[in-house]
């Protein structure tokens, strides 16, 4: 299959070419700089309420999805041409039990310091409507149902009608603590999910990039329990979640599973281990509603948590946003990683998910 085939270009449009979803997709040129949220009918007057989708609701569906995500399939998720892509080598960076000194900036590297973040953050796998696999990052957050994840909207669906067959991704599967093709804490299929209804607005001309810049690239998912009935948070623990206004210069820690760009054999990351960045937060010059820090994560980091008040000794903090894009879209120094920070839209989604029974 040619790298410029129509199928691959459709996948690029579905995933959001400038967003950091590890998808089998061609990276398209950057869009024009934006000084503020785009003034389109979709971003100016469309309603904002949870637009919901359904995942695996029967034991048969759960078993099928669990069997689908084999070690090799997980390792290859996000490859441009998986049929001819070598299986990535394992990341054997040794662990370091010593806590990272507080306030240490980090441009990007394998997280070696353990703690709760090693269990509550994981890789989120899915299959596009054309049958190709991709991946993002997601986090277990505190909720009454002990089954709630936060991630990016573009990790769950493309922009368009939620009723369309090809809008929502399939085979959604969360692997907390993913490491080198293994499921150290098991795998959890997604039962129900939601994005802002702003993602329903493709007919009015808004792209995923437009909606990300406008601050709507947040999503929640409710996962099925493990065999035996234990909810995910009882196994992994969970991170706090909050919806504060961003503060420039506030020190944040970001985590994700970057996959590199396309099938570049020289790419720094292969999705094998969780990667960490840390530094002071700042708004994006081209997208002031997005907040980020210096970081070299790439595709696959989408949906990963940005935590404030992160305790490097315990690996716990408060999730205040999820990774959306890089400096390609939001501007600023290269490399940078930007989050959709949680506000009223994210709160509506969380309130929908928190009591949703799995």
């Amino acid at each position: 299959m040619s790298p410029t085939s129509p199928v691959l270009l459709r996948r690029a449009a579905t995933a959001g070419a400038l967003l950091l979803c590890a998808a089998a997709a061609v990276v398209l040129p950057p869009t024009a700089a934006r000084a503020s949220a785009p003034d389109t009918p979709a971003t100016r007057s469309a309603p904002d309420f949870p637009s919901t989708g359904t995942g695996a609701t029967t034991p048969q569906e759960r078993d099928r999805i669990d069997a689908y995500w084999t070690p090799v399939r997980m390792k290859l998720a996000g490859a441009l041409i998986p049929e001819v892509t070598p299986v990535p080598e394992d990341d054997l960076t040794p662990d370091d039990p010593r806590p990272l000194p507080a306030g240490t900036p980090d441009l990007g590297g394998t997280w070696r310091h353990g703690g709760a973040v090693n269990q509550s953050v994981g890789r989120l796998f899915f299959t596009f409507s054309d049958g190709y696999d991709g991946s993002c990052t997601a986090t277990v957050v505190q909720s009454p149902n002990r089954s709630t994840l936060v991630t990016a909207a573009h990790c769950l669906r493309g922009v368009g009608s939620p009723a369309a067959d090809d809008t929502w991704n399939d085979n959604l599967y969360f692997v907390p603590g993913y490491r080198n093709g293994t499921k150290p804490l098991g795998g959890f299929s997604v039962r129900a999910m939601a994005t802002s209804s702003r993602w329903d607005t493709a007919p009015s001309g808004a792209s995923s990039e437009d909606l990300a810049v406008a601050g709507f690239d947040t999503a929640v998912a409710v996962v099925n329990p493990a065999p035996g009935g234990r909810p995910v948070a009882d196994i992994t623990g969970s991170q706090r979640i909050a919806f504060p206004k961003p503060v420039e210069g506030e020190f944040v820690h970001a985590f994700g599973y970057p996959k590199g760009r396309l099938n570049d054999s020289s790419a720094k990351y292969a999705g094998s281990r969780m990667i960490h960045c840390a530094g002071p937060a700042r708004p994006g010059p081209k997208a002031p509603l997005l907040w980020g820090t210096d970081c070299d994560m790439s595709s696959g980091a989408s949906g990963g948590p940005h935590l404030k008040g992160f305790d490097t000794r315990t690996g716990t903090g408060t999730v205040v946003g999820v990774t959306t894009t890089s400096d390609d879209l939001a501007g600023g120094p290269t490399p940078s990683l930007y989050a959709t920070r949680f506000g009223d839209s994210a709160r509506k989604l969380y309130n929908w998910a928190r009591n949703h029974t799995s």
Side-chain angles (χ1 to χ4, degrees), residues 34-49:
R34 298 175 173 91
S36 60
D39 184 23
T40 69
T43 58
R44 185 172 61 244
S45 60
D48 177 20
F49 55 85

Side-chain angles (χ1 to χ4, degrees), residues 92-183:
L92 302 178
T93 304
D95 290 326
D96 183 353
R98 297 170 298 179
L100 185 71
T104 302
D106 188 355
L107 185 63
T110 300
W111 178 252
R112 304 184 297 139
H113 303 284
V117 72
N118 259 350
Q119 289 78 47
S120 55
V121 177
R123 206 167 167 193
L124 180 66
F125 297 96
F126 48 83
T127 303
F128 292 105
S129 60
D130 58 22
Y132 281 79
D133 298 325
S135 72
C136 280
T137 305
T139 308
V140 183
V141 293
Q142 294 178 357
S143 64
N145 62 14
R146 308 193 304 283
S147 302
T148 298
L149 311 181
V150 292
T151 188
H154 73 269
C155 297
L156 300 186
R157 57 174 292 203
V159 173
S161 169
D165 290 340
D166 60 352
T167 297
W168 296 93
N169 295 332
D170 296 318
N171 296 326
L172 283 148
Y173 192 65
F174 176 63
V175 180
Y178 174 90
R179 184 165 176 153
N180 295 327
T182 67
K183 307 174 185 179

Side-chain angles (χ1 to χ4, degrees), residues 63-111:
D63 290 346
R64 179 190 63 78
I65 292 171
D66 185 71
Y68 180 84
W69 290 109
T70 63
V72 170
R73 191 180 291 276
M74 290 190 295
K75 287 183 176 184
L76 287 176
L80 175 61
I81 311 176
E83 297 88 346
V84 299
T85 300
V87 176
E89 294 183 2
D90 291 344
D91 181 344
L92 302 178
T93 304
D95 290 326
D96 183 353
R98 297 170 298 179
L100 185 71
T104 302
D106 188 355
L107 185 63
T110 300
W111 178 252

